[in-house]
Structure formats: C-alpha cells, structure tokens
Amino acid sequence: AKGKSAAGLGIDEEIEVTRKPRAPRVKLDEHRLLSNNGIPKLRKKAKNLKFKGKGHEYSDASRLLAFYQLWLDDLFPKARFLDALAMVEKMGHKKMMQNARMEWINEGKPHSGVH
Amino acid sequence: ADGKRDVVDPEVRAYVSSLVTALGGSGADEDGRYVLGDDALACLRDLKRWLKLYDEKANRLDVARCLAESNLVGGDLLQILAAWPENATDDRLKSKIALACLELLVPLTWPLSKDSKEMTVNHHRHVPYLETAQLGYKRSIINFDGARILHTAIRCALPPMAVDMGDRSTRDEGIIKLLLYFIRNIAMIAPPPNVQYEGDEAEISRSATIDAFDYQDVFHLLLTVSSTIGEDYNTQDVVVLDILFHLIKGVDIEKLFLDEKAADNSKMDELVRLRKKEAAMLRNYQTNAPTRHNRFGAMAWLQREDAKMTTISGQAAVTDSSRGLAKMDATKKFKPPRRALKGDNGPMDFDTPVHLNVQATKHLREFIEEFLDSGFNPLFNHIRKAIDREAERVLDFFYLISWFLEAERVRRRNKKPSKVQQSAVSEEVDSYSLVASVLNQEMFVTLNRAMDYTFEHKSWQDLSAAMKCFTQILLTVQDMLESPLEDDQEIAENILNRIFYEETTHDRVANITRTYKDQGFGYLDSCTELSHHYLRILEQYSKQNVDLQVRSRRRVRRKKKAARAAGQDVADDDIVDESEGEDTTRAERTSHERKFEFKRFAARFLSQGCVDTFVTFTAYYNDLKSSQLKRAHRFFYRVAFKQEMSVMLFRVDIIALFYKMIKGPEGLDPQSSSYKEWDEFVKQILKKCTRKIQERPELVVEMLFSKINSTAHYLEYGYEKQTVTTK
C-alpha cells in the first residue's frame, strides 16, 4: 500500500478528516453539586453567615440571597441566579442527591434517638 | 383574479359565477332597486347544491371561495332578504326565496374548523381568505342599512315555531334549527387571533353584535326558546347554549351591573388608577436609574473570596451591593431550554376579557336579567339531562353556569341597598329558586364526573371551565347561608354538609392544584381560585358555632312537629324526641369533630406541588388584581401560620420572589391596597426563616430543594413525625 501511494503522488490516499470534537457543554449536574465547590462549600460558608434579627428582616434576607447568589455564581457562572436555582432544585430529586441530603440532615440530629 | 394562476378550477368558477349573475341584480332602469332574476329560486337551490355536492362531498371549499369573491352575500342575498316586506309574509314565493337565502347563509357563515387531521391543501389555501370574508359577511349582516336582516331571518322560522311541538314536521324542526345556527354563526364570527382586521373593528365587535341582537329582536327569540325549552322545543338547547356562550364569554360581570353613572365614575377612577400605576412604575425605575449620562463609565470591583474579583460596570454597583449583584446577574446570557406555555386563543377561549360600550352593556344587562328570571332554570336543567344521557362538549355549559351564577350574585348584591330602605316589604325577598336547577344533587354528580373525566383526559380548558363552575356554586351556596329565607338556609346547609364529608372531592381539588404544570394562566387562575374558596368555605363551615347548629336542629324539629300535627306520616327520627340539652352536647361534639376533619383536609394542601402552583401564580404579581393577590396571600398565610409549616416556603426561589415583591426592582406598588398585608407577611416569613436557619443549620442546604413531608416536619418541629404507633 505504501508503494502505491508513492506512485500515485498520494492522490488516492484517503484523507482523514478529523473534526475537533466540540467541547462538552458544562452542566449543572449532581456531580458538580456534590463536588468540593458545591454543597460542601455552601455548608462550610454558611457557618460565617450572621443575621441581625428583629427589625432587620429585609437586610437579612438580602444578605441571605446574596450568599446563595455568589455561591451559585462560583459553581455555575453562566446561568442566572433564578435559572440556576431551578436547575439545582431539579437535581434534588436524583437518588444520589437525596441520599446525600438525608446524610446531612442526620448529621444535624441529636445522636440519642429518644424523643 | 387572472385566469392563469387561479386557485380554483376555472370551470367551477364559471358555473358558480354564472349562477350568481343569473340570480338578479340592480340597474338604472329600476332606480337602483334590486330585481330578482326570472329563475332566482332555482338559482339559489343550484348554489346550495354546489356547496353541498362539490364543497362538502369533496371537502374542498372551492365554491365557498368563489362565492366570497363574487360578493354573493352583500350583493345578492341580503338585498333579496331586505326586499321581503313585513306585510308580505303570506307571499309563498317570497317566503320560499327568503328561506333559500337563509339556507345559503348558514353554510357560508359556518365556523371553519382548523382540525389539522382533516385539512387538505385546499383548506390551507382558502381558510385565511374565507375567514376574512366571513368577517365581511358579519359586518354587512348586522349593519345592513335597508332592513333588519336578522329579524327577517327570524320571520322565516316563525310559521314552524307557531306549530305545536308534537305537530311539527322534521322540516319545521330543521328550519328552526337553521335559524338558530345562523344566529350562532353570527355571534361566533370574530377576527381570528393574531390577524389584524383591516376594516373598522367597531362594526363587528361584541358591542355591535349585542346592539344588533337587541334591535333586531334576537334576544326575544332567545328568551322565548330558552324559557319554553322542554315544552315547545327540545333539540335546540345546545345551539341556544352556544349562542349565549359566544355572547357573554369574557364579559366582565362587575362592569355589566354597574349603573351608568357609576360606570362613568368607574371609568374615571380607572383612568386615575392606571395613571397612578404608571407613575409608580416610573418612580420605581427612577430610583434605580443612573444619575449621570450613559458614558460616565463607572466600574466597580466586587471582592470575592480566594482573592477573586468580579467587575461590574455602571453606577448601580457603587451605591448598593444588592443592585450590583442584580446587575451582575442581568449581564448573563445563558438561558436554559424552556417549553412554551400552552395557551388557547381559539373561538372557545373565554379568558380573554372583552370590553363593551355603554349601549351594549345596557342591552346585555337587560337581556341577562330577563334570562335569569325566565330562561335559566329550564334551559340548564334540560341540557344537564342531555349531557347525562350522552357525554358531549361541556365546555360552554359549565362556563355559562359559572357566568350566570356570578351574574345572579352580583345582581343581588347591587339590589341590596334599596332593599334595606324598604325593609317593610321583606316578604318580597326573593329566594334562590331562580338558579336552583344547578344546585341540586344531579348537578353535583354531573360536575364531579366532568371534572374527573377532563382531568384524566387532560382537556385543561374544559377542566378550567368546570372549576370555575364549582367555585361559583360554592360562592352561591355561601350567599344562600346568609339569606333571610329559612328554606334557602336549609338547602345551603345540606349542600355544605355533603361537600364537607366527601373525601373524593377533597382529593380531586387538592390533586388538581398540586399537578399544575404548564396549562396557561387562565387555568392557573381558576384552579387557585377554586382551592382558595373551597378551603375558605369549608373552614367557615367547620367553625360554625354550636349556637347555629342548635338553632338549625330546633328548626328541623319544629318542622317535623308541624308535619306531625298536620297528620302526615313521618318516619320516626331521633331528632324529634331529643331535648334542648342533648342538642347542645351533640352540637358540641359535631363541631369538635368537624374541626378535626377540616384540619386533616387542609393538610392535603401542604404539599410542595400546591405551594409551587401558588408560587407560579404569585410570580405574576404585577398583573394580578387585588382579589387575586389576596388569594395567594391567604394561602401562604395558611401554610405558614395556621398550619405551621412555614418550612414549605423556605426555598431560595420563593424567598427571592417574596423579597422582590416588596423591595423591588419592579416590586408591588407601595400605594396599592395589597402592599401592606404582603409587607407584613413577608417580614414575618423572613424573620422565621433566618431564625430557623440559625436553629437548624441543615436548612441552609435544604433551602435549595423541595422537601418531602417527613423532612419538612423534622425541620419544623425538630423531631420525626410519629407514624408507627408502638405497642
């Protein structure tokens, strides 16, 4: 085959058309949510969250919303805040997420199971 | 059109137009009067045959198109009808010709169906043209100068109507139906959505139709037919229903029953209100608008953790961090794929509001009042029976019931002030028997069945109409409870009692509310309205105090005694033989039991789905009326405080919505009536939310997600719900 192609000046040789595969679209899926930058970080940061309480309801709420917005902007910069929230909410129905959620809740529970 | 590129077979066109020409015409010799051709009757019959044997059989619409192009309706048919003078009713030939005209007018004005399965190439070609042509027909029919066309059409059907129902021939019945279909078609024709009508809208608007119907005695006809249905008419019920539907759909009842002076005032008020709303919007914008020119070029850094920076341009970021964040969000381009809402704007659409002018309002109101007084019960009773026999299209049936019930309620309310003055004649207080035909048990069965069926088959518009109907029935029943007539009170109590213990209905209402997805705003409005009133009325019923129950039992006993005294044979009932004291204890027990029942029932609305539905509804807050905003407010208030499951509202998007409603940008107008209660409510919710987060740090994560009930319960109370009883 090599000889032939040399004789034919390489005309017969099939040219391999390689298209560069398109960069995979970044998705907000459960793996991203469970990664270090995801909910674990949210939980860590939440410890610094301070509220002023009575009489400052609206400023507290705006601080809370800003907290979530900045976290989501780090995690998934391309989507708007409300869109990203909807996506996260949707992910919450996945089995993997539900297990993780149960774990986080159980961590917070008092260890003695007596009521 | 030029011969080469004609869309219709030239031969067909030649035949049809020669027939139209032979029909007759006007000329200078006769001072422009219309003169019938020699064989006009035969021509009319031929044209009818063409429509039937060519268009209908081959499913083509070609002849209809030719007739539209040759101006048969305006040029010939209407002229012929106009030339049939009132005093010549006995002229057999003329009445025959008039009838033949009517027989042509009905198929020509027949609604064009756009059922994609049956549409052929020809349909796609002709339907847009014919739709415009039909608008022209309607315009010339209701605005015809020389004569009252609709009135003339009615005259065609008078002889058969005069005959007793038993003695009518099939042909007689057919003529009556033909006339009613003609009126239905006229009422139904409207500019198709998303098409700009080129002529004067006012000439074919709903107002013009109503005025024409009043002037040309169509309303009299409708009243006659509907009030004697079952006696003199039988099969015409559905057509009458259709006519009514196309007359009243979308008409605002409140406005209809304002008297003229109040209507003028309310128009001024409305202008003032709208100007205020606009001013509020501008104010809102101005507080956020840049104070310098647009090339001032401020740029701010937002310091983030890990020594990261975000840049935000414009002054907004410099003054206020939350506005800076909003700006940062607004510059993002990515949009997740989204499905469009399913809206329906076809002829069956009843959510689009219609405006009537003063004249038409007056005429329609008179008609509606007379209809309620005479035609409502017979017509709706008759149709309900027809529906029970065989299921058919029920959309307009339920919509009409809801509309008329609301009309009746508004009419009563407007009447009240004068009633108080002449309280001496309290004997005259009319009962609710005028609308009784839709409050009986059979109606509930029909309605329940329809709701089940439509819900199962996903015909959302029908379901929406049925829900509206149910809502209005509930509201009417509630009004009846306050009626001074004992009979009315008793009926209302019985109905409420039945609804209160009907678990299937509870489940259905909660289910419908829970499963809203993308059925459009009209549906959303009716389902939130239903669940709001349903909850509210049942709550009131469950709270009904002991007193009232004792009184009602006493009433029953009195009646039974009276019946006994009259010598009637009454089945021995325990109520008769009880004493007052027993009554009280029994009443206490029932009221206790009812409170428990209600609590259980209301818990069905605690699911995330119901909350989501109301959140979707509230997201339209800037376009909602204050009564609608109140509806949403009451629901959330119930969830958060009455049933103490505020956790269900602690989700970031809900909190963001609430925050935006009050603090903007584009929030509620602070001067509006609902702002205050919402402000109060949102403040309470936010307070609870921040406190809860400090109490239970897990909530920070859970705030992102929908919670299932057990999680929500744990977050709210700090312990798991006990579901399994230990022995």
Side-chain angles (χ1 to χ4, degrees):
Chain A
K2 215 176 180 184
K4 262 187 194 168
S5 72
L9 296 171
I11 292 172
D12 294 339
E13 197 176 332
E14 270 188 44
I15 298 168
E16 224 175 274
V17 184
T18 53
R19 195 185 280 163
K20 210 169 117 192
R22 196 167 154 174
R25 197 174 289 167
V26 185
K27 275 190 193 143
L28 185 55
D29 52 9
E30 60 261 52
H31 300 291
R32 182 170 282 259
L33 263 182
L34 291 174
S35 70
N36 279 336
N37 245 342
I39 288 178
K41 180 169 158 201
L42 184 78
R43 301 181 72 211
K44 218 183 311 153
K45 273 174 63 177
K47 286 178 188 126
N48 304 328
L49 203 56
K50 290 279 181 295
F51 297 117
K52 284 191 186 161
K54 199 173 173 338
H56 300 272
E57 287 86 3
Y58 288 112
S59 60
D60 279 349
S62 109
R63 195 167 310 125
L64 182 69
L65 289 173
F67 162 71
Y68 279 107
Q69 188 178 345
L70 289 176
W71 167 70
L72 271 174
D73 186 60
D74 278 340
L75 181 68
F76 194 65
K78 75 176 179 181
R80 292 182 183 191
F81 181 40
L82 288 179
D83 293 339
L85 279 178
M87 291 161 144
V88 172
E89 200 280 324
K90 219 169 164 186
M91 279 304 119
H93 299 289
K94 289 266 161 90
K95 195 92 216 145
M96 201 168 148
M97 282 306 298
Q98 273 179 342
N99 289 340
R101 276 166 68 187
M102 276 323 284
E103 258 174 52
W104 291 320
I105 288 184
N106 285 333
E107 269 176 45
K109 278 183 191 170
H111 289 290
S112 60
V114 187
H115 301 306
Chain B
D2 53 329
K4 264 184 250 163
R5 289 168 52 217
D6 204 343
V7 286
V8 178
D9 184 5
E11 213 168 317
V12 173
R13 181 183 295 279
Y15 271 117
V16 171
S17 45
S18 72
L19 277 174
V20 174
T21 324
L23 202 52
S26 54
D29 304 346
E30 294 88 16
D31 334 317
R33 269 184 310 115
Y34 187 89
V35 177
L36 274 183
D38 286 337
D39 239 345
L41 189 55
C43 290
L44 287 171
R45 288 193 175 146
D46 268 357
L47 282 173
K48 200 179 91 188
R49 227 165 275 155
W50 267 102
L51 273 175
K52 192 160 190 124
L53 296 181
Y54 191 81
D55 265 14
E56 246 176 67
K57 240 189 178 166
N59 196 16
R60 289 185 73 92
L61 293 179
D62 283 347
V63 180
R65 170 105 189 218
C66 292
L67 291 178
E69 281 170 2
S70 56
N71 189 24
L72 171 79
V73 172
D76 296 289
L77 297 183
L78 296 189
Q79 305 284 351
I80 295 171
L81 280 176
W84 187 34
E86 295 256 7
N87 50 19
T89 308
D90 293 333
D91 190 334
R92 281 191 52 88
L93 177 70
K94 286 210 165 162
S95 60
K96 260 187 186 169
I97 290 182
L99 190 59
C101 287
L102 191 59
E103 279 178 334
L104 273 177
L105 281 172
V106 171
L108 286 177
T109 50
W110 200 265
L112 300 156
S113 81
K114 281 193 178 172
D115 185 6
S116 54
K117 268 181 214 156
E118 305 207 332
M119 275 180 92
T120 59
V121 184
N122 261 20
H123 283 83
H124 285 287
R125 201 178 278 153
H126 296 319
V127 162
Y129 184 89
L130 288 177
E131 271 177 343
T132 339
Q134 285 192 342
L135 293 178
Y137 296 162
K138 176 170 182 172
R139 195 194 57 219
S140 36
I141 286 168
I142 63 177
N143 300 305
F144 196 77
D145 279 333
R148 300 194 288 169
I149 296 296
L150 294 171
H151 184 78
T152 316
I154 294 174
R155 270 165 56 211
C156 292
L158 281 182
M161 282 170 75
V163 181
D164 229 31
M165 185 166 83
D167 300 336
R168 269 182 222 142
S169 61
T170 351
R171 191 183 130 79
D172 286 343
E173 289 279 335
I175 293 173
I176 299 174
K177 248 194 169 160
L178 194 71
L179 168 72
L180 289 173
Y181 273 123
F182 179 55
I183 291 168
R184 196 274 315 254
N185 292 351
I186 295 301
M188 193 172 177
I189 293 172
N194 65 45
V195 167
Q196 190 67 41
Y197 178 57
E198 280 161 6
D200 188 357
E201 289 266 1
E203 284 184 324
I204 52 161
S205 64
R206 190 74 65 78
S207 302
T209 315
I210 289 169
D211 283 344
F213 276 21
D214 181 68
Y215 173 61
Q216 312 203 18
D217 299 332
V218 179
F219 283 152
H220 291 304
L221 172 82
L222 292 178
L223 285 173
T224 314
V225 176
S226 55
S227 60
T228 54
I229 211 140
E231 301 164 29
D232 289 343
Y233 304 95
N234 199 7
T235 49
Q236 290 85 351
D237 48 0
V238 181
V239 199
V240 175
L241 198 75
D242 264 353
I243 298 173
L244 289 174
F245 176 70
H246 290 291
L247 275 179
I248 59 155
K249 63 173 180 180
V251 173
D252 185 348
I253 294 161
E254 296 282 343
K255 276 187 196 150
L256 189 68
F257 280 93
L258 286 176
D259 57 71
E260 258 167 69
K261 213 166 150 202
D264 276 352
N265 276 343
S266 84
K267 259 183 201 149
M268 282 306 288
D269 289 348
E270 196 173 0
L271 184 64
V272 171
R273 193 175 53 80
L274 287 176
R275 288 297 302 266
K276 266 189 188 157
K277 198 171 175 191
E278 190 188 12
M281 267 165 60
L282 284 176
R283 208 177 322 121
N284 202 335
Y285 169 73
Q286 256 151 12
T287 47
N288 294 317
T291 50
R292 296 187 180 269
H293 62 77
N294 64 349
R295 299 212 283 173
F296 199 69
M299 177 170 284
W301 279 338
L302 185 70
Q303 178 79 51
R304 309 271 288 265
E305 62 203 14
D306 313 329
K308 268 199 297 190
M309 301 270 215
T310 306
T311 51
I312 303 162
S313 64
Q315 323 170 23
V318 184
T319 48
D320 184 352
S321 71
S322 72
R323 269 159 63 197
L325 283 175
K327 170 96 195 197
M328 186 178 103
D329 207 41
T331 45
K332 293 183 181 178
K333 293 281 192 303
F334 171 77
K335 281 209 182 90
R338 212 168 269 158
R339 241 191 288 160
L341 280 185
K342 288 177 205 141
D344 191 345
N345 287 318
M348 284 301 162
D349 167 53
F350 51 77
D351 291 318
T352 320
V354 173
H355 295 284
L356 297 180
N357 60 27
V358 182
Q359 192 78 14
T361 307
K362 201 175 126 228
H363 291 150
L364 187 63
R365 183 173 62 226
E366 279 165 8
F367 169 65
I368 296 299
E369 295 198 344
E370 278 178 50
F371 178 79
L372 280 169
D373 290 341
S374 65
F376 183 86
N377 274 336
L379 182 66
F380 282 90
N381 212 6
H382 196 260
I383 294 185
R384 200 218 357 103
K385 283 182 193 152
I387 290 178
D388 283 347
R389 278 198 301 272
E390 56 199 295
E392 46 182 316
R393 184 152 189 85
V394 284
L395 165 72
D396 40 8
F397 177 61
F398 289 124
Y399 178 71
L400 281 169
I401 292 179
S402 78
W403 197 92
F404 279 115
L405 279 181
E406 192 179 350
E408 172 66 13
R409 280 180 37 242
V410 173
R411 181 165 77 142
R412 276 165 179 279
R413 206 167 54 218
N414 288 357
K415 246 196 242 165
K416 255 187 196 146
S418 60
K419 271 275 151 56
V420 176
Q421 289 168 0
Q422 30 178 283
S423 55
V425 275
S426 59
E427 289 301 301
E428 268 183 47
V429 178
D430 36 12
S431 73
Y432 279 82
S433 58
L434 282 180
V435 291
S437 67
V438 295
L439 299 176
N440 52 22
Q441 186 59 19
E442 288 91 345
M443 183 64 209
F444 277 99
V445 173
T446 312
L447 182 62
N448 282 341
R449 193 154 13 120
M451 283 171 85
D452 270 339
Y453 181 84
T454 48
F455 184 61
E456 216 167 277
H457 287 77
K458 299 191 167 42
S459 42
W460 303 124
Q461 257 217 321
D462 294 336
L463 180 56
S464 167
M467 285 193 290
K468 270 184 203 287
C469 177
F470 194 23
T471 312
Q472 288 304 327
I473 288 179
L474 287 175
L475 290 173
T476 309
V477 167
Q478 206 198 11
D479 283 0
M480 275 170 83
L481 262 189
E482 284 148 23
S483 154
L485 290 181
E486 281 201 351
D487 281 345
D488 280 348
Q489 287 178 26
E490 207 176 307
I491 295 169
E493 258 170 44
N494 281 338
I495 294 175
L496 281 181
N497 197 16
R498 225 161 32 217
I499 295 178
F500 190 80
Y501 291 105
E502 229 167 49
E503 297 264 331
T504 42
T505 315
H506 302 339
D507 283 336
R508 188 179 312 121
V509 174
N511 250 346
I512 292 173
T513 318
R514 195 167 48 80
T515 50
Y516 171 80
K517 236 179 103 206
D518 51 2
Q519 287 94 331
F521 183 76
Y523 179 89
L524 184 59
D525 187 35
S526 7
C527 83
T528 48
E529 192 183 16
L530 174 61
S531 49
H532 170 69
H533 288 300
Y534 198 63
L535 274 164
R536 196 175 55 91
I537 286 171
L538 291 192
E539 183 175 35
Q540 257 174 27
Y541 181 74
S542 75
K543 277 185 185 158
Q544 210 182 47
N545 44 25
V546 177
D547 241 36
L548 215 64
Q549 284 181 50
V550 172
R551 211 181 307 153
S552 101
R553 297 176 78 81
R554 206 180 290 158
R555 196 168 57 221
V556 173
R557 183 172 328 119
R558 198 176 337 122
K559 260 200 187 154
K560 289 250 161 93
K561 261 185 188 157
R564 247 184 204 182
Q568 275 164 0
D569 195 26
V570 184
D572 250 14
D573 223 315
D574 51 353
I575 294 179
V576 188
D577 307 319
E578 275 172 13
S579 67
E580 292 278 300
E582 274 176 74
D583 265 359
T584 326
T585 41
R586 186 186 274 259
E588 263 164 14
R589 201 167 57 229
T590 359
S591 77
H592 192 75
E593 173 201 341
R594 277 185 194 165
K595 260 179 205 149
F596 173 71
E597 279 279 324
F598 178 75
K599 218 170 178 186
R600 237 162 39 95
F601 155 66
R604 291 172 217 242
F605 287 85
L606 282 180
S607 66
Q608 193 73 53
C610 288
V611 172
D612 284 349
T613 305
F614 272 88
V615 168
T616 323
F617 183 65
T618 314
Y620 292 100
Y621 61 88
N622 263 332
D623 302 316
L624 294 186
K625 286 184 236 140
S626 64
S627 68
Q628 292 169 316
L629 275 171
K630 198 166 153 189
R631 191 189 303 165
H633 176 269
R634 294 295 182 277
F635 178 82
F636 290 131
Y637 186 83
R638 182 185 298 280
V639 169
F641 299 108
K642 283 199 187 161
Q643 296 180 278
E644 308 188 321
M645 280 305 263
S646 46
V647 171
M648 298 304 283
L649 300 182
F650 296 163
R651 210 174 58 194
V652 187
D653 56 336
I654 301 178
I655 295 293
L657 172 69
F658 286 166
Y659 181 79
K660 192 180 169 197
M661 276 174 82
I662 302 301
K663 286 285 158 179
E666 287 143 31
L668 278 176
D669 173 18
Q671 253 116 52
S672 74
S673 53
S674 15
Y675 179 82
K676 218 169 165 196
E677 56 183 20
W678 272 99
D679 182 35
E680 196 51 42
F681 168 75
V682 173
K683 212 185 269 176
Q684 294 296 332
I685 282 290
L686 294 178
K687 195 198 282 175
K688 264 200 158 182
C689 181
T690 45
R691 202 181 296 152
K692 203 92 211 169
I693 289 177
Q694 283 160 330
E695 211 176 296
R696 277 186 237 300
E698 313 78 278
L699 187 60
V700 172
V701 177
E702 283 300 305
M703 269 193 65
L704 290 168
F705 305 108
S706 293
K707 293 156 266 287
I708 47 173
N709 275 340
S710 67
T711 324
H713 194 272
Y714 165 72
L715 288 171
E716 184 75 48
Y717 300 106
Y719 56 86
E720 306 256 337
K721 209 178 193 167
Q722 292 283 294
T723 41
V724 190
T725 43
T726 43
K727 279 175 195 168

